[in-house]
């Protein structure tokens, strides 16, 4: 799942401001599908029409306050994850977006300092196990609370449904 190692991600920053809502992440005009690839083809389209042209698998979205506000649609984190974004770092997240992201296995981290410091194009490295964010371009590091073990198991499984299926599969 992660481009650097099981617990680390590394990628270029794509910076967005405060209150990026779910309609900007995946516009409502594309909600007639639940196909992850189709959703990913329109990821961040209304926030930055050139996002997918600039984005490479493993890159990192950095947002301001209240990232993912708006409707409770799960389509938004699905679009981000399927587009190849390795994680999202923001000053804060809308609660339902946070939950939906964990439920589909998209790592999201709250770090007001890292989000403030980052600029589009910076190279960042994130260690999910240690709870560390490093901005390699600016030579800065930030501690973030690591995920509790239960949430980490969901993310590692690729989402809540995969976690439940794995948990219910007989061992042997």
């Amino acid at each position: 799942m992660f481009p650097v190692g099981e617990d680390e991600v590394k990628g270029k920053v794509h910076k967005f401001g405060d209150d990026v809502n779910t309609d900007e992440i995946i516009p409502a005009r594309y909600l007639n599908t639940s196909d992850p690839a189709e959703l990913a083809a329109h990821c961040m389209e209304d926030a930055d029409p050139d996002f997918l042209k600039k984005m490479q698998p493993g890159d990192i979205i950095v947002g301001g306050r209240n990232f993912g506000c708006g409707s409770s649609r799960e389509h938004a984190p699905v679009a981000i994850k399927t587009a190849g974004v390795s994680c999202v770092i923001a000053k804060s997240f809308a609660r339902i977006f946070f939950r939906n992201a964990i439920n589909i296995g998209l790592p999201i981290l709250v770090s007001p300092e890292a989000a403030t410091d980052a600029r589009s194009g910076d190279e960042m490295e994130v260690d999910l196990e240690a709870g560390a964010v490093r901005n390699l371009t600016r030579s800065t590091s930030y501690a973030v609370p690591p995920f509790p073990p239960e949430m980490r198991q969901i993310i590692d499984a690729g989402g809540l449904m995969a976690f439940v299926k794995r948990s219910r599969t007989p061992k042997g």
Side-chain angles (χ1 to χ4, degrees), residues 9-30:
V9 298
K10 182 178 179 182
K12 184 175 65 173
V13 168
H14 299 273
K15 178 103 179 238
F16 295 90
D18 294 340
D19 301 313
V20 173
N21 66 58
T22 54
D23 282 326
E24 292 173 296
I25 297 169
I26 183 66
R29 62 190 173 272
Y30 301 114

Side-chain angles (χ1 to χ4, degrees), residues 71-82:
S71 74
S72 62
R73 66 180 68 129
E74 193 176 78
H75 297 74
V78 167
I80 291 171
K81 181 180 177 183
T82 308

Side-chain angles (χ1 to χ4, degrees), residues 35-92:
D35 175 35
E38 181 65 21
L39 294 170
H42 301 287
C43 182
M44 306 304 287
E45 189 171 286
D46 283 0
D48 177 359
D50 295 324
F51 173 73
L52 290 175
K53 294 176 189 167
K54 298 182 281 189
M55 210 277 307
Q56 296 293 314
D59 281 357
I60 298 167
I61 288 178
V62 175
R65 290 185 316 273
N66 203 26
F67 188 91
C69 60
S71 74
S72 62
R73 66 180 68 129
E74 193 176 78
H75 297 74
V78 167
I80 291 171
K81 181 180 177 183
T82 308
V85 173
S86 63
C87 73
V88 181
I89 300 168
K91 292 180 182 179
S92 66

Side-chain angles (χ1 to χ4, degrees), residues 2 15 32 36 42 53 57 64 67-68 74 87-88 90 93 100 103 111 123 131 138 140 152-153 157 159 162 171:
F2 303 118
K15 178 103 179 238
N32 58 348
H42 301 287
K53 294 176 189 167
F67 188 91
E74 193 176 78
C87 73
V88 181
F93 292 93
N100 283 338
N103 283 347
S111 179
E123 191 79 18
R138 300 181 183 284
T140 53
R152 185 56 200 264
Q153 290 173 351
K171 301 200 180 357

Side-chain angles (χ1 to χ4, degrees), residues 164-172:
V164 170
K165 285 178 187 173
R166 184 181 347 176
S167 299
R168 291 188 177 184
T169 302
K171 301 200 180 357

Side-chain angles (χ1 to χ4, degrees), residues 121-140:
D122 285 359
E123 191 79 18
M124 274 191 159
E125 187 175 71
V126 179
D127 185 326
L128 299 169
E129 181 72 25
V133 175
R134 292 177 290 283
N135 187 321
L136 303 174
T137 303
R138 300 181 183 284
S139 300
T140 53

Side-chain angles (χ1 to χ4, degrees), residues 94-111:
R95 286 175 49 176
I96 192 70
F97 180 88
F98 186 92
R99 189 68 243 166
N100 283 338
I102 298 301
N103 283 347
I104 62 102
L106 174 66
I108 59 175
L109 304 165
V110 176
S111 179

